Amino acid sequence: MHFHIMTLFPEMVLDGLRTSIIGRAEDKGYISIEAVNIRDYTLDRHKKVDDYTYGGGAGMLMQAQPVYDCWRALEENIAGRRAASQGGQKTRVIYVTPQGEVFSQKKALELSMEEDLIFLCGHYEGIDERVLEEIVTDYISIGDYVLTGGELPAMVMVDAISRLVPGVLNNGESAYTESHADGLLEYPQYSRPEVWHDKKVPDVLLSGHHANIEKWRLERSLERTKERRPEMYEAYVAAHPPRPSKK
Ligand code: ADE
């Protein structure tokens, strides 16, 4: 899986992502991350990439030309590499914006099936609408609040998507049992020692009885989801009606 991030702050993105699990995944070749500086594509003599908005209003807007030329260069590179393997489709371009669909585990899973993904990070008051109309395929937000730029949201999404790419997590199973994978929050977990601050690990977890452990975990997941995320709990219950009991 290849991530391509269009940004005015490539070092911020790379410094943040090239550590820990995601950095190791890149070293091992499961994913690649490239950050391209949009400013390198401006035709302005002073390397400017922003200007005032027509109609007035606060702040500056990123201009269409550098964004478009940066995208064209990226797309050509990707197309060149793909032609050598299986050829053709266009790469999805995600504009990270508070005006997008809210990101979720389901969306992360869908995007993890792509071979390449381009993220476009805005700054200032946003980006000229005309270039967005031409290149963007997906508008995605990471939540209902506003950040100063798209870099952190892009990093959040790259992290969530990468860990679903086969090989990235050491224990392949954990991506499928964790919170949100099945519409429930994960159950509580414990490690050694058996007693800490007078709190004892629940007996069932020491019993070695796998069916009872599974049952206990599902009950705790349901309980926790109902308490912390009632809307998620309702959706889960609606999708998993109790089986009619046999006569
Ligand atoms: N850019 C600024 N705020 C954002 C958000 N909440 N999600 C995605 N991109 C953003």
Side-chain angles (χ1 to χ4, degrees), residues 96-98 122 140-150 153 157:
V96 289
T97 165
I140 308 185
S141 165
I142 60 160
D144 291 340
Y145 43 83
V146 180
L147 300 166
T148 53
M157 290 187 232

Side-chain angles (χ1 to χ4, degrees), residues 5-10 12-13 17 96 121-123 148-157:
I5 302 165
M6 297 169 59
T7 169
L8 291 174
F9 301 97
M12 172 179 178
V13 173
L17 288 171
V96 289
C121 304
H123 252 271
T148 53
E151 284 73 18
L152 286 170
M155 287 157 73
V156 165
M157 290 187 232

Side-chain angles (χ1 to χ4, degrees), residues 33-222:
I33 303 170
E34 95 174 301
V36 189
N37 196 338
I38 296 169
R39 197 178 297 280
D40 291 346
Y41 291 86
T42 180
L43 299 177
D44 182 83
R45 281 192 298 138
H46 306 291
K47 290 275 176 197
K48 212 163 70 75
V49 290
D50 60 323
D51 210 330
Y52 295 101
T53 52
Y54 280 114
M60 308 285 271
L61 205 62
M62 280 169 72
Q63 292 168 284
Q65 176 273 316
V67 173
Y68 188 74
D69 288 356
C70 179
W71 168 76
R72 282 252 320 241
L74 260 179
E75 185 59 35
E76 268 167 29
N77 270 344
I78 296 169
R81 192 192 75 238
R82 283 208 189 150
S85 54
Q86 85 276 37
Q89 316 142 305
K90 275 231 155 124
T91 310
R92 280 168 86 167
V93 178
I94 298 165
Y95 178 41
V96 289
T97 165
Q99 298 177 22
E101 157 192 2
V102 177
F103 191 59
S104 63
Q105 192 65 22
K106 188 165 160 240
K107 197 76 194 174
L109 190 60
E110 177 199 320
L111 294 172
S112 72
M113 313 290 174
E114 299 288 328
E115 190 183 343
D116 290 88
L117 281 177
I118 298 177
F119 286 86
L120 171 58
C121 304
H123 252 271
Y124 314 113
E125 287 304 303
I127 302 181
D128 190 307
E129 189 68 21
R130 293 167 295 184
V131 68
L132 299 178
E133 285 168 10
E134 293 204 10
I135 71 173
V136 173
T137 58
D138 300 77
Y139 292 81
I140 308 185
S141 165
I142 60 160
D144 291 340
Y145 43 83
V146 180
L147 300 166
T148 53
E151 284 73 18
L152 286 170
M155 287 157 73
V156 165
M157 290 187 232
V158 169
D159 187 295
I161 296 164
S162 296
R163 57 196 295 293
L164 300 175
V165 171
V168 171
L169 296 185
N170 286 333
N171 171 6
E173 200 195 320
S174 60
Y176 296 95
T177 59
E178 68 201 357
S179 296
H180 299 283
D182 59 0
L184 289 176
L185 300 182
E186 198 179 22
Y187 43 80
Q189 304 219 65
Y190 305 87
S191 183
R192 285 198 283 186
E194 223 176 283
V195 181
W196 181 81
H197 280 200
D198 290 338
K199 295 172 200 265
K200 191 174 175 321
V201 173
D203 286 334
V204 64
L205 299 180
L206 310 174
S207 69
H209 191 301
H210 292 295
N212 284 352
I213 293 174
E214 285 311 304
K215 182 168 172 284
W216 181 89
R217 286 180 165 166
L218 178 61
E219 285 165 2
R220 296 293 82 71
S221 274
L222 287 163

